[in-house]
Amino acid sequence: MHPLIFLARMDFTQGNLFGYIEDLQELTIIERPVRRSLKTPEEIERLTVDEELNDIERAVYLLSSGQDIQGTSVVANLPVLMRQNPAETLRRVLPKIREVLHVAGVEMQLTAAVSFLTVLQEESVSIHTYSHAFLHIILQNLEHRDAGVSNAWLETLLAVIEVLPKETIRHEILNPLVSKAQLSQTLQSRLVSCKIMGKLANKFETHIIKREILPLVKSLCQDVEYEVRTCMCRQLEHIAQGIGTELTKTVVLPELVELARDEGSSVRLAAFETLVNLLEMFDADDRSQTILPLVKSFCEKSFKADESILVSLSFHLGKLCNGLYGIFTPEQHLRFLEFYKKLCTLGLQQENGHNDNQLQLQTLEQEKKYISVRKNCAYNFPAMIVFVDPKNFHLELYSTFFCLCHDPEVPVRYTMAMGFYEVAKLLNSGVYTIHKELVALLQDESLEVLDALVGHLPEILELMSNGGENSGSESKLLSIPDLIPALTTAEQRAAASLKWRTHEKLLQKYACLPHIISSDQIYYRFLHRMLTIVLTNNVLPVQKAAARTLCVYLRYNRKQEQRHEVIQKLIEQLGQGKSYWNRLRFLDTCEFIMELFSKSFFCKYFFLPVLELTHDPVANVRMKLCYLLPKVKSTLKIPTDKLLLQQLELCIRKLLCQEKDKDVLTLVKRTVLELDRMEITVDGFQKRFYENDLLDQEKERQELLLLEMEQLEKEKQQNDGRATNTSDKMFEKKRRDSKTSSALAKNVPLSFPGSSSSGTSTGKEGKKSKLVRSQSFSTQALHPKYSNIDKCPNRSAASGYTSSVSGMGKSSVLSFSDDSFRTRSTGNNGNTAFPSSSSLATSSRNSANSSDQKNNGNKDSHSRKMSM
């Protein structure tokens, strides 16, 4: 507003002027509490403590003459004092705390209860000393008028009972408990007695419990206050576990039956839940003659007059139905199943009510209760599948499953998503019947539902693709046409939201897709999307998750042209990107490449592009590269990668000579020392690096077989155009032979490079062996059971392929790229650019190939340190 207009609208008449003065007076009143809150010199003097006092003396002084906040601080510091000087603390500080607690406020009481429990847990003193010094203080404050304080001290006492000797418990707790549990005592005292009863039942022998505890239990079960009866009813479960099956049947069960007919709804609810929890302790006669009639009456009353038990009944119904399964008649079995189905749709079909406000409030309360009931039904759905038998799922429960998955309320669908994997496991070979619900939950409008489903998404998709144990994967995959669009839609919705943790989790789980769908589908629908996320997303965890999943897709891609395209984009758009943020993500991606791929693959495509970043103009990029250099050096093998090692040494020398940033230079010097201590792997197996070498050879073998599979598929496509019936029969014969050979390959002993001549086989035998290996890789290596790179064990089953790979040598592996893929080298700061990564790596890896084949088997385990 313009100031002239503001002044024009102000009225300075006498009446309005007094109004302005009153407003100013209100402002001064607002300021007064601020002035009053300042401490006067007398108050500051009273709060000041002599600095020469030690901790014990200061604690005693503050408890004696200090304010409440200072005393609370001393009580909170009690565990520290007990650790430092337990004797003086028990002698001087604890008596003062005991005096102060008589008149202390709620805050100090709660702090004292927590501190006493901490001293017990830390075992600062012996249990005998603790019971002598602390137990009486705990018992004195149990009946505090504040319920929160009383419960805090009770929790401390129950923890103390666990470690106290029996004699101390009997004299200090059990004997006074007899008087505390009488009707003449207060309600709070009797409630505390109930909870102590449940804890004492496991501490004494049966005859002591029968003589001294069970009479008190019966008395409290018949107390005049419903709160006491409810509390004692919930403790009957602990008491039954302490007294055994026989006494439970003769003493506890009659009390539960009587409490189940109590006039108080909370008492009936507690009795019902205790009966369900103790169901395993009763025999078939008790279940059929006593418990089943009670449960039937509960179910009937829950809809008619007692809706308070409806939520609890729906929560325990799965456990109840399976616990009583053996005594159900077919009619009762069907009745309980129909009761469950009715609960699953409770509240979804309501008649139009009146417009009265009170009726509307009741409807809102009922609606909340109905939502809780349907949510509990969703929680119990796996148990109900067991109840009806998975074979009968489609006839008995599929319609209910459909309704729960499409429930209008998010909590119900969230619970179904959480239990979807359990349902899929139970259905096994019939899991395909719920694929539409999986697609619906993936496309759910609530991200909470999607987040709940994603937790077990790889396992669910694997069950869906396999269709159980006895079904083939191809037919099942073709029957889920909406799966891929649902997966892409779910990722896009997660990316568009602000819940980046859900997006990160989803991207991590999508790494399972190579085991579910084809390589072409991943390439056209998911792979480029992951690259886009790495390039454009602003959340670092999301970028890293997308980068790792992208590397997994690249790892299992079956077309050489597609692999080359992705590698080129990674190097050009990330490694040579204009944004330093992209270059940092390139280094993260290279870490994942080293984790998932073989050493030869990394050295061939990514070694030199990584080294080029030593000339990066941004210090953060050079610093991150220094952290990565030890891992980069670990991918080298001598003498195959001698030229790459020289390039690495040259880059480090340049960093030492030309680096101007102090932090980067410090890190470079530290990295040089670490690199100097590293030992480079020598071609062939060494005892020291045996496990890593075996794992790397397995990765290299799988990469080679991917090439062979691609070549065989091309040959097969060419032959199919001009094939005859005879050639088709021969192909089927070879396929059957390959299955037999892959099964026998597990029993072949492990061989090392240079120890076998199988790699020299030519003609038909060589081609047949390639077909065998490629078929076995397609059936085993791509299966998550055999090809989990994160947890790839050193299996002797891979020995059948080791001899063939060793005979081919490194040059066969390097046929991975016949097109000699080249990186675009750009030299920064005027330095000369590096040569092409593929050409240099290929020449370095092929230079010593002929000598490696002859000498690998006889080399000793030795290492070469890098000389700087």
Side-chain angles (χ1 to χ4, degrees):
M1 182 181 293
H2 198 276
L4 295 177
I5 299 175
F6 177 73
L7 292 173
R9 292 183 180 179
M10 293 182 65
D11 186 6
F12 288 100
T13 60
Q14 185 176 6
N16 288 333
L17 185 60
F18 282 112
Y20 298 141
I21 294 174
E22 291 176 357
D23 293 340
L24 293 175
Q25 288 177 350
E26 290 180 359
L27 291 175
T28 59
I29 293 174
I30 293 173
E31 290 183 354
R32 283 174 189 170
V34 178
R35 294 176 181 176
R36 288 177 181 175
S37 64
L38 299 176
K39 301 297 181 183
T40 62
E42 292 80 7
E43 291 173 335
I44 294 175
E45 181 67 24
R46 192 164 61 249
L47 292 171
T48 304
V49 181
D50 189 2
E51 295 181 358
E52 296 181 358
L53 298 176
N54 60 33
D55 293 341
I56 300 295
E57 293 172 347
R58 186 183 296 109
V60 173
Y61 173 77
L62 292 176
L63 288 171
S64 302
S65 57
Q67 295 189 358
D68 288 344
I69 189 172
Q70 293 174 319
T72 303
S73 176
V74 173
V75 174
N77 200 42
L78 180 62
V80 179
L81 295 176
M82 288 295 298
R83 288 195 298 267
Q84 295 175 351
N85 195 345
E88 286 297 310
T89 303
L90 292 175
R91 188 175 68 85
R92 300 182 60 186
V93 179
L94 195 61
K96 286 291 182 181
I97 293 177
R98 185 172 185 174
E99 295 175 5
V100 173
L101 285 177
H102 285 292
V103 293
V106 172
E107 185 177 357
M108 186 180 291
Q109 288 276 353
L110 294 174
T111 306
V114 174
S115 295
F116 282 23
L117 182 58
T118 304
V119 172
L120 174 70
Q121 293 172 345
E122 292 181 353
E123 300 180 356
S124 302
V125 293
S126 64
I127 190 61
H128 176 75
T129 305
Y130 185 91
S131 62
H132 178 73
F134 292 88
L135 185 58
H136 292 287
I137 304 176
I138 296 172
L139 293 173
Q140 286 176 359
N141 294 278
L142 271 179
E143 300 180 20
H144 196 275
R145 60 183 179 275
D146 187 272
V149 173
S150 178
N151 290 331
W153 284 112
L154 178 60
E155 292 297 325
T156 303
L157 177 63
L158 296 179
V160 173
I161 290 175
E162 288 288 341
V163 296
L164 286 178
K166 292 182 181 179
E167 291 300 323
T168 304
I169 296 175
R170 186 167 186 176
H171 289 93
E172 300 293 339
I173 299 175
L174 182 58
N175 292 338
L177 195 64
V178 177
S179 60
K180 296 291 184 181
Q182 302 302 320
L183 286 174
S184 58
Q185 297 295 323
T186 62
L187 175 64
Q188 183 68 24
S189 176
R190 303 204 300 276
L191 289 174
V192 169
S193 300
C194 292
K195 295 178 180 179
I196 296 176
M197 290 287 184
K199 182 64 73 172
L200 294 182
N202 295 322
K203 302 298 292 185
F204 294 101
E205 293 80 5
T206 305
H207 66 278
I208 297 178
I209 296 174
K210 189 175 181 180
R211 185 177 69 249
E212 300 185 15
I213 295 181
L214 288 183
L216 294 177
V217 170
K218 292 182 179 180
S219 174
L220 291 171
C221 285
Q222 300 172 0
D223 196 277
V224 294
E225 298 291 342
Y226 76 92
E227 294 98 331
V228 179
R229 299 196 302 274
T230 302
C231 184
M232 194 65 248
C233 186
R234 295 194 180 278
Q235 298 301 318
L236 288 178
E237 178 182 353
H238 305 291
I239 294 172
Q241 294 173 355
I243 63 178
T245 305
E246 294 298 326
L247 284 177
T248 299
K249 183 177 180 179
T250 57
V251 178
V252 175
L253 184 57
E255 295 294 335
L256 282 175
V257 172
E258 184 176 353
L259 291 170
R261 301 188 179 99
D262 196 274
E263 59 185 5
S265 60
S266 62
V267 181
R268 295 196 300 271
L269 178 61
F272 169 74
E273 292 179 352
T274 305
L275 275 171
V276 174
N277 293 332
L278 293 177
L279 207 55
E280 296 179 355
M281 298 189 68
F282 303 121
D283 55 20
D285 293 336
D286 293 329
R287 295 181 188 182
S288 59
Q289 298 176 8
T290 306
I291 298 176
L292 183 57
L294 282 176
V295 172
K296 290 171 63 177
S297 64
F298 274 45
C299 295
E300 294 172 358
K301 291 180 181 179
S302 61
F303 279 106
K304 296 179 181 179
D306 191 8
E307 289 187 350
S308 61
I309 203 173
L310 197 60
V311 177
S312 178
L313 179 61
S314 62
F315 181 76
H316 292 92
L317 190 60
K319 186 176 181 180
L320 190 64
C321 288
N322 286 280
L324 299 176
Y325 181 80
I327 63 172
F328 278 150
T329 62
E331 181 183 357
Q332 292 171 339
H333 187 281
L334 182 60
R335 184 180 301 174
F336 271 87
L337 181 59
E338 293 299 324
F339 179 72
Y340 172 76
K341 292 180 180 179
K342 187 176 181 180
L343 290 180
C344 290
T345 58
L346 187 65
L348 296 180
Q349 298 175 354
Q350 294 181 347
E351 298 179 359
N352 295 327
H354 301 285
N355 293 325
D356 187 49
N357 292 333
Q358 185 176 1
L359 290 177
Q360 289 181 357
L361 290 176
Q362 291 178 356
T363 304
L364 289 175
E365 293 178 0
Q366 285 184 349
E367 182 64 25
K368 292 181 180 178
K369 190 177 296 184
Y370 293 158
I371 293 173
S372 299
V373 169
R374 299 201 303 273
K375 179 182 176 182
N376 292 337
C377 289
Y379 169 77
N380 281 298
F381 196 86
M384 297 307 296
I385 292 180
V386 177
F387 181 64
V388 302
D389 196 327
K391 297 178 181 179
N392 301 323
F393 167 78
H394 194 271
L395 294 176
E396 301 289 349
L397 284 176
Y398 176 73
S399 59
T400 304
F401 182 76
F402 177 86
C403 291
L404 291 174
C405 287
H406 294 81
D407 195 274
E409 299 298 329
V410 173
V412 181
R413 303 197 304 274
Y414 175 86
T415 309
M416 289 302 295
M418 288 290 292
F420 198 94
Y421 175 53
E422 297 297 327
V423 174
K425 281 197 303 183
L426 289 171
L427 294 181
N428 198 3
S429 58
V431 69
Y432 174 67
T433 57
I434 60 173
H435 78 278
K436 293 182 180 179
E437 286 68 35
L438 172 64
V439 172
L441 292 176
L442 281 171
Q443 296 176 333
D444 195 275
E445 60 183 7
S446 173
L447 280 179
E448 296 179 5
V449 177
L450 178 62
D451 187 78
L453 184 67
V454 164
H456 290 285
L457 186 62
E459 295 86 353
I460 294 171
L461 292 179
E462 184 180 353
L463 288 171
M464 285 286 181
S465 63
N466 294 335
E469 298 177 355
N470 300 322
S471 301
S473 60
E474 296 180 359
S475 60
K476 295 299 177 182
L477 283 174
L478 294 175
S479 355
I480 314 179
D482 300 331
L483 177 61
I484 295 177
L487 292 173
T488 55
T489 303
E491 188 277 321
Q492 292 171 0
R493 289 185 58 255
S497 70
L498 296 177
K499 297 181 179 180
W500 62 266
R501 289 182 177 85
T502 301
H503 193 201
E504 177 196 12
K505 185 178 178 182
L506 192 69
L507 294 176
Q508 291 172 348
K509 300 299 182 180
Y510 275 14
C512 72
L513 292 182
H515 310 304
I516 310 300
I517 59 181
S518 67
S519 176
D520 284 338
Q521 289 173 319
I522 290 176
Y523 177 77
Y524 291 111
R525 302 301 295 271
F526 296 98
L527 194 146
H528 292 285
R529 174 60 182 167
M530 296 299 158
L531 183 60
T532 303
I533 294 172
V534 176
L535 289 170
T536 61
N537 199 280
N538 296 323
V539 183
L540 179 58
V542 173
Q543 283 183 312
K544 287 189 174 182
R548 193 184 191 285
T549 303
L550 172 64
C551 294
V552 174
Y553 293 166
L554 180 63
R555 171 69 179 81
Y556 291 108
N557 189 280
R558 300 180 64 173
K559 290 188 177 180
Q560 193 172 0
E561 294 180 0
Q562 295 176 357
R563 287 195 297 270
H564 284 173
E565 179 188 350
V566 175
I567 292 171
Q568 185 175 3
K569 287 184 177 181
L570 287 176
I571 295 174
E572 291 181 353
Q573 299 182 20
L574 285 179
Q576 300 170 0
K578 295 181 179 180
S579 172
Y580 84 97
W581 190 256
N582 287 342
R583 299 196 295 274
L584 288 174
R585 298 293 73 77
F586 176 71
L587 294 177
D588 291 331
T589 306
C590 287
E591 283 195 75
F592 299 135
I593 292 289
M594 287 185 280
E595 174 190 350
L596 297 171
F597 289 83
S598 65
K599 295 178 180 180
S600 61
F601 182 90
F602 176 80
C603 290
K604 183 170 185 178
Y605 294 109
F606 292 95
F607 191 92
L608 292 179
V610 168
L611 292 187
E612 288 178 8
L613 295 179
T614 54
H615 307 290
D616 197 276
V618 179
N620 284 350
V621 178
R622 302 195 301 273
M623 187 175 295
K624 188 176 182 65
L625 175 63
C626 291
Y627 284 114
L628 191 63
L629 284 178
K631 290 185 178 180
V632 172
K633 184 182 177 182
S634 66
T635 62
L636 298 176
K637 294 181 181 180
I638 296 299
T640 307
D641 298 322
K642 185 177 180 180
L643 295 178
L644 294 180
L645 179 60
Q646 292 175 359
Q647 292 289 340
L648 176 63
E649 294 172 352
L650 177 61
C651 291
I652 294 174
R653 289 194 187 98
K654 288 184 178 180
L655 279 174
L656 285 172
C657 298
Q658 301 175 4
E659 184 59 52
K660 297 179 180 180
D661 189 278
K662 294 181 180 179
D663 295 332
V664 179
L665 185 59
T666 303
L667 185 58
V668 169
K669 294 178 180 178
R670 191 187 311 163
T671 305
V672 167
L673 296 176
E674 184 178 354
L675 291 173
D676 189 52
R677 289 193 296 266
M678 286 182 61
E679 297 181 356
I680 303 178
T681 306
V682 180
D683 285 337
F685 284 92
Q686 297 174 270
K687 293 181 180 179
R688 186 175 304 176
F689 307 106
Y690 179 79
E691 294 182 359
N692 293 332
D693 290 343
L694 191 63
L695 178 60
D696 183 69
Q697 190 190 46
E698 175 69 14
K699 295 176 183 178
E700 200 168 324
R701 180 189 66 83
Q702 293 179 3
E703 293 164 4
L704 175 63
L705 290 179
L706 276 174
L707 289 174
E708 294 181 353
M709 288 168 60
E710 181 181 5
Q711 185 65 29
L712 288 174
E713 288 176 359
K714 290 181 179 179
E715 293 179 0
K716 183 178 180 297
Q717 290 175 0
Q718 293 175 359
N719 293 334
D720 286 344
R722 56 179 185 273
T724 59
N725 294 333
T726 306
S727 62
D728 290 337
K729 293 179 180 179
M730 291 298 296
F731 184 83
E732 290 297 324
K733 184 177 184 298
K734 287 185 177 182
R735 186 177 62 84
R736 290 193 298 269
D737 294 340
S738 66
K739 292 183 178 181
T740 307
S741 301
S742 61
L744 294 176
K746 299 182 179 180
N747 299 322
V748 179
L750 184 65
S751 59
F752 298 95
S755 62
S756 174
S757 60
S758 61
T760 61
S761 61
T762 57
K764 296 182 179 180
E765 294 298 328
K767 193 169 183 180
K768 183 177 179 180
S769 63
K770 287 184 178 182
L771 179 62
V772 170
R773 293 196 305 274
S774 63
Q775 292 292 341
S776 64
F777 180 68
S778 63
T779 57
Q780 296 180 10
L782 292 181
H783 196 276
K785 182 178 179 182
Y786 295 93
S787 64
N788 189 353
I789 301 301
D790 296 334
K791 300 179 181 178
C792 183
N794 299 322
R795 303 183 303 274
S796 62
S799 60
Y801 312 104
T802 307
S803 59
S804 60
V805 174
S806 63
M808 294 175 186
K810 302 294 182 181
S811 60
S812 297
V813 177
L814 290 174
S815 64
F816 194 92
S817 173
D818 295 334
D819 299 334
S820 298
F821 170 74
R822 298 176 180 273
T823 58
R824 191 175 302 171
S825 304
T826 58
N828 296 320
N829 301 329
N831 294 320
T832 305
F834 286 103
S836 171
S837 60
S838 62
S839 61
L840 179 57
T842 305
S843 62
S844 65
R845 284 196 169 269
N846 288 335
S847 60
N849 187 41
S850 59
S851 60
D852 289 346
Q853 292 184 0
K854 298 178 180 179
N855 302 325
N856 274 344
N858 301 321
K859 284 184 179 179
D860 301 330
S861 65
H862 64 280
S863 59
R864 175 181 178 269
K865 294 186 177 180
M866 184 179 68
S867 59
M868 300 303 302

